[in-house]
Amino acid sequence: RPDGRTDYVNQRFCDMTQADFEHLQDYGWRQFLHPEDLERTQALRQCSLATKELYEVEYRLRNSQTDEYRWFLARAYPVRDEAGQITKWVGTCTDIEEQKQAEQKIKESEENWRVLAETVPQFVLTVRPDGSVEYLNQRWYDYSGSSPEQSLGDGWRQFLHPDDYERTVAHQRHAHATGELYEIEYRLKDGQTGTYRWFLARAMPVRDETGHIVRWFGTSTDIADQKRTEEALRQSQERIRALIDSNIIGITSNEGEEEVLVEANEAFLHMTGYTQEDVRSRTLNRIKITSPEQAPLFQSALQEVAESGQHTPIETEIVCKDGSRLPVLAGGVAFQDHPRQIIGFMLDNSARKELEQRKDAFISMASHELKTPLTSLQLQTQLLAKQLARQGISDAAPALSRMQVQGKRLEQLIGELLDVSKIQAGRLEYTQEPVDLDALLREITDTLQQIHPSHTLVVRGAVQTGQTSLMGDPDRLGQVFTNLLSNAIKYSPGAQTVEMDLDTSEDAVTVRVRDHGLGIPQEQRDKIFERFYRATGPRQRTIPGLGMGLYIVAEIVKQHGGTITVDSEVGRGSTFTVTFPRKREA
Ligand code: ADP
């Protein structure tokens, strides 16, 4: 009615509220309104009645059976007579519950989106189809130090690096024109410091159900650190390239388990005769260029690479293209794990090897050449001594005996030289027989004690004969201990004793030779077992020697399956420890 009272509702309205007409007529329907909507609805109604304008409101109505509310859109318009007087209001009430729920969902999802956009570490933006920015997250405003007025639309572009401006704008235009995914790297100005940082910008179009682009959704990620790393990587790669191309040493890059050569520099190719074509065809690998005898050496080098990332340089040989062998000094560094990549370095070692061979040949020849006249000299001396004795001439006897002693020394030296060259050539021979080490050591100490009365040789830990027997070459083993004891005496001038003790266990025999002499500096302890190496201390230098003894000793010990180590304190003395396994198969 014109006064606002309800005088008719249809059946559907009764169904919606599950109420009878009596309960709905006049103002009765109001009791079904949601309390929160009552006031607003009243006000709008009053307003429409007063202004006689269209009435429109959204409210919730209760179903009296279930007590559940649903959203409705209520509209009413006035009906007038010829005179223009309102005779009644006709209204409709439409169920909009589903629409409301959908709207709510959108609202929630939009809220989620905002939260997300504000939490991610990137700049987040949405762009209208025409390319103007409609939203930027707070992170952007914090970085640029700008306000929405300054940045929205096209404003943000003022923060682009001048050198990136054109490129970026063109790229954007292209994306908007084609609808293609947009991705570009550019620099943006930090509002705080005025410096530029690199960003990776990406944007993708959001389309409606008809396929039209409704907006673009984009992010900008700070990649300054990544860029810096990339740059550092590029520079280091350039440096490596320069090193490889320098061709001072042969360099190869080997990949995978097979160690296929995937790259080789000119120096390597020049040394070995292989070609870039051989490398490119991937037919060269470590096994192919390694001689079979060297394979175990390479295997242990590889093992070292696996454990420590690189291996100590080894002296080895490379099989060249023409089948010849080239002596090289080779090193390797693990470059990458998956796939495994090793960088190999190779230095042509042939000149040094040749020199070494010449030296070995010289030593071998010289020792043979020296031995023959010496042997005859010794024979002649003996003969002369006998003749003079027979004739009863005794004046020359002391001189002759000194000659014999010196001859013996010379013989020993030449013998050592011969041993060294035999070891070098792999021709030092050994007998295999049971050796009673205990008895052997006693014999040696007795002899040495007579020659060197200056020191007392103390032997400890002697055990029952038979307990210390092992298989080996008695002369060579004798040589080992003669040498160690002689050194102990020689390098402990002023000391009174040299001790030797013998220890046996179930499976090993250990002999220690201890002196109270000069000692050996830590850094020289490994080297003294090398050929011709002599310690460099000023005191040591005054003591004569050629640096062959310990080399021969170490070789003999090794050939008997044993080990030798040294422990020492400079100025206090040294202890050499030799250990042999007891149960060696004959
Ligand atoms: P040589 O004694 O002829 O020089 P060796 O091979 O027997 O050669 O010994 C190598 C070096 O080791 C010696 O020059 C010496 O400096 C050092 N050395 C060996 N034994 C001892 C020791 N008992 N005490 C101190 N230094 C030693």
Side-chain angles (χ1 to χ4, degrees):
R1 290 197 203 146
D3 64 0
R5 285 167 180 266
T6 302
D7 63 1
Y8 167 79
V9 296
N10 67 356
Q11 185 56 41
R12 197 176 286 271
F13 199 99
C14 298
D15 293 346
M16 277 174 340
T17 49
Q18 292 278 328
D20 298 333
F21 176 65
E22 301 90 79
H23 292 106
L24 296 167
Q25 66 180 342
D26 292 340
Y27 299 112
W29 62 274
R30 281 186 196 162
Q31 61 188 304
F32 296 95
L33 263 181
H34 194 289
E36 285 173 15
D37 302 336
L38 185 63
E39 210 172 299
R40 185 167 45 90
T41 308
Q42 288 277 71
L44 278 165
R45 237 176 125 81
Q46 289 305 326
C47 180
S48 283
L49 286 174
T51 60
K52 304 180 171 44
E53 296 286 334
L54 182 87
Y55 157 81
E56 186 172 298
V57 67
E58 288 179 4
Y59 55 55
R60 282 160 286 185
L61 283 179
R62 183 165 52 88
N63 179 318
S64 64
Q65 293 293 307
T66 61
D67 267 348
E68 275 172 9
Y69 285 95
R70 289 179 77 83
W71 276 100
F72 290 88
L73 169 67
R75 306 176 95 225
Y77 57 90
V79 180
R80 298 165 194 269
D81 59 13
E82 278 110 60
Q85 286 294 313
I86 293 177
T87 55
K88 62 173 73 151
W89 289 75
V90 177
T92 58
C93 201
T94 314
D95 187 328
I96 55 164
E97 180 63 26
E98 276 170 17
Q99 186 184 329
K100 272 280 180 194
Q101 277 182 10
E103 269 171 22
Q104 182 61 25
K105 274 208 190 104
I106 289 172
K107 211 171 129 217
E108 277 169 15
S109 93
E110 210 138 278
E111 258 160 33
N112 285 344
W113 187 83
R114 292 266 152 177
V115 171
L116 191 70
E118 293 300 339
T119 1
V120 290
Q122 285 102 334
F123 303 148
V124 176
L125 64 158
T126 60
V127 182
R128 293 191 199 90
D130 66 357
S132 62
V133 173
E134 61 178 353
Y135 162 83
L136 279 157
N137 67 350
Q138 187 57 37
R139 208 168 286 279
W140 161 262
Y141 295 114
D142 292 346
Y143 176 80
S144 62
S146 67
S147 65
E149 293 75 45
Q150 289 167 315
S151 285
L152 293 180
D154 287 337
W156 69 276
R157 286 186 186 161
Q158 64 187 295
F159 296 96
L160 271 173
H161 192 286
D163 292 350
D164 301 334
Y165 195 94
E166 291 288 321
R167 185 169 57 88
T168 307
V169 172
H171 193 70
Q172 246 169 2
R173 285 218 186 95
H174 174 79
H176 289 129
T178 59
E180 283 168 15
L181 196 84
Y182 161 89
E183 187 170 303
I184 191 170
E185 288 179 7
Y186 52 54
R187 282 157 290 181
L188 289 171
K189 185 153 83 184
D190 180 336
Q192 304 261 317
T193 61
T195 55
Y196 286 88
R197 288 178 74 84
W198 276 100
F199 286 84
L200 167 68
R202 308 182 86 224
M204 52 187 280
V206 182
R207 296 170 191 273
D208 63 15
E209 56 274 20
T210 65
H212 277 103
I213 296 175
V214 285
R215 63 161 63 93
W216 289 74
F217 172 79
T219 57
S220 276
T221 311
D222 188 332
I223 51 164
D225 294 338
Q226 187 183 329
K227 274 269 175 192
R228 257 199 295 279
T229 316
E230 274 171 15
E231 177 58 19
L233 194 69
R234 196 186 57 76
Q235 279 182 9
S236 89
Q237 266 166 353
E238 256 171 31
R239 278 203 289 270
I240 289 174
R241 204 24 51 221
L243 177 76
I244 292 175
D245 293 342
S246 66
N247 288 327
I248 295 167
I249 50 174
I251 300 177
T252 61
S253 171
N254 314 339
E255 224 174 72
E257 286 304 312
E258 316 264 79
E259 287 215 55
V260 175
L261 267 68
V262 293
E263 210 180 325
N265 69 349
E266 284 305 318
F268 173 83
L269 300 176
H270 184 73
M271 269 188 323
T272 57
Y274 292 109
T275 62
Q276 281 298 0
E277 195 34 57
D278 295 328
V279 177
R280 245 175 270 127
S281 64
R282 303 213 161 199
T283 47
L284 288 180
N285 59 38
R286 203 64 184 263
I287 295 162
K288 198 162 166 183
I289 63 168
T290 307
S291 52
E293 316 88 79
Q294 303 285 330
L297 188 64
F298 262 125
Q299 267 320 313
S300 65
L302 280 184
Q303 185 64 29
E304 207 183 322
V305 172
E307 279 159 16
S308 67
Q310 63 185 71
H311 73 81
T312 30
I314 48 172
E315 282 192 3
T316 176
E317 280 177 356
I318 291 283
V319 180
C320 299
K321 184 155 183 161
D322 62 7
S324 63
R325 309 278 174 94
L326 177 78
V328 292
L329 190 68
V333 182
F335 213 53
Q336 181 179 288
D337 265 351
H338 301 290
R340 188 173 76 166
Q341 197 178 359
I342 291 178
I343 303 292
F345 302 92
M346 255 153 261
L347 206 60
D348 185 339
N349 207 19
S350 45
R352 198 181 133 191
K353 274 282 161 204
E354 200 189 313
L355 206 66
E356 228 168 69
Q357 272 161 11
R358 234 184 287 160
K359 190 182 71 190
D360 289 344
F362 171 79
I363 291 170
S364 161
M365 229 157 55
S367 41
H368 279 108
E369 288 298 314
L370 288 170
K371 203 175 163 164
T372 324
L374 176 69
T375 314
S376 109
L377 214 63
Q378 279 175 310
L379 275 174
Q380 298 298 328
T381 318
Q382 273 173 19
L383 218 61
L384 192 62
K386 273 188 198 146
Q387 277 175 5
L388 289 177
R390 231 180 287 133
Q391 290 167 18
I393 305 171
S394 58
D395 296 1
L400 275 175
S401 118
R402 277 200 296 277
M403 276 171 75
Q404 277 171 326
V405 169
Q406 293 306 324
K408 267 254 169 279
R409 275 192 65 189
L410 212 56
E411 185 192 324
Q412 200 189 329
L413 271 179
I414 293 170
E416 283 192 351
L417 265 177
L418 269 172
D419 284 349
V420 168
S421 60
K422 278 186 195 155
I423 292 171
Q424 278 310 107
R427 278 192 280 114
L428 196 62
E429 283 162 6
Y430 300 89
T431 61
Q432 276 284 336
E433 52 196 276
V435 182
D436 181 351
L437 209 56
D438 193 37
L440 181 72
L441 294 181
R442 285 188 182 282
E443 195 187 309
I444 292 168
T445 40
D446 286 349
T447 315
L448 284 176
Q449 186 66 83
Q450 279 172 25
I451 308 172
H452 302 282
S454 57
H455 291 67
T456 309
L457 304 184
V458 185
V459 184
R460 291 204 207 98
V463 271
Q464 261 184 319
T465 311
Q467 285 279 311
T468 51
S469 75
L470 48 92
M471 289 299 290
D473 185 326
D475 290 340
R476 292 294 175 200
L477 289 171
Q479 208 176 340
V480 166
F481 296 105
T482 305
N483 239 306
L484 291 178
L485 284 168
S486 304
N487 275 350
I489 296 166
K490 192 161 77 161
Y491 293 104
S492 66
Q496 271 141 31
T497 57
V498 165
E499 291 116 40
M500 175 152 80
D501 54 54
L502 187 60
D503 225 359
T504 47
S505 72
E506 183 81 353
D507 41 30
V509 183
T510 304
V511 183
R512 285 190 192 82
V513 178
R514 176 178 297 122
D515 66 58
H516 305 280
L518 308 178
I520 306 154
Q522 170 83 49
E523 67 281 4
Q524 301 187 5
R525 278 176 215 163
D526 284 336
K527 291 197 185 144
I528 57 173
F529 297 103
E530 287 171 14
R531 195 159 51 127
F532 306 127
Y533 183 85
R534 303 205 67 220
T536 51
R539 294 283 306 279
Q540 272 96 337
R541 241 179 285 155
T542 60
I543 299 168
L546 289 176
M548 294 186 287
L550 288 182
Y551 173 70
I552 299 168
V553 163
E555 173 67 19
I556 297 172
V557 170
K558 193 172 107 190
Q559 291 299 332
H560 281 80
T563 55
I564 180 164
T565 55
V566 61
D567 202 15
S568 182
E569 202 178 324
V570 174
R572 318 250 356 212
S574 315
T575 304
F576 285 80
T577 306
V578 182
T579 306
F580 294 111
R582 278 195 63 200
K583 294 193 180 109
R584 285 192 68 217
E585 307 91 76

